[in-house]
Amino acid sequence: MDTLSYKTISANKATVTKEWVVVDAAGQSMGRLCSQIAMMLRGKNKPNFTPHVDCGDNVIVINAEKALLSGDKMTEREYTRFSGYPGGLKTFSPKDVIEKRGYAELFRRSVKGMLPKNRLGDKLINNLYVYEGPEHKHEAQQPRLVEVKTK
């Protein structure tokens, strides 16, 4: 019996192969799409996934304004922010986020909630690029189109 064949391979920064992928959000359910994007950012779709290493891909989301929020989520869902002072609790809806910051901020907020709440999660969210239209500025990286089924 060869004991070397049973060693667990742990990825590190030097051995990770990061790719650039494009995800089209047109007609997709936003929450389900964001969970798939979070898995790609984390690297859980790869065989050499290591929990403490950034082994995920760089994800480009196009057509963000065409993603769907079902039901009354656009107006009924509430996000909260607290300043720490009395009376400093502020609530706002996804519609308010879109008016003030755009669809990119809504996607980033959704995906960030699905990533680890530590320094690794802070690094992983920087690998997400969201564009409201069909054009993006990362053609030099030669990204490949990924079909994500959310229905």
Side-chain angles (χ1 to χ4, degrees), residues 44-118:
K44 285 194 163 191
N45 57 343
K46 294 184 175 184
N48 63 345
F49 169 69
T50 306
H52 64 279
V53 177
D54 176 10
C55 53
D57 296 330
N58 295 301
V59 180
I60 303 164
V61 180
I62 56 173
N63 293 322
E65 80 271 356
K66 295 180 184 173
L68 306 174
L69 280 173
S70 61
D72 291 332
K73 290 179 190 165
M74 190 65 83
T75 55
E76 298 297 321
R77 175 173 285 168
E78 285 188 346
Y79 297 119
T80 58
R81 212 174 101 201
F82 182 56
S83 68
Y85 290 99
L89 183 66
K90 299 196 189 292
T91 60
F92 43 94
S93 67
K95 185 177 180 181
D96 299 332
V97 173
I98 291 169
E99 288 173 2
K100 197 170 206 179
R101 301 270 182 151
Y103 285 90
E105 179 63 25
L106 190 62
F107 262 88
R108 289 182 71 82
R109 185 181 293 268
S110 298
V111 172
K112 188 171 173 71
M114 300 175 191
L115 293 175
K117 282 36 170 205
N118 54 21

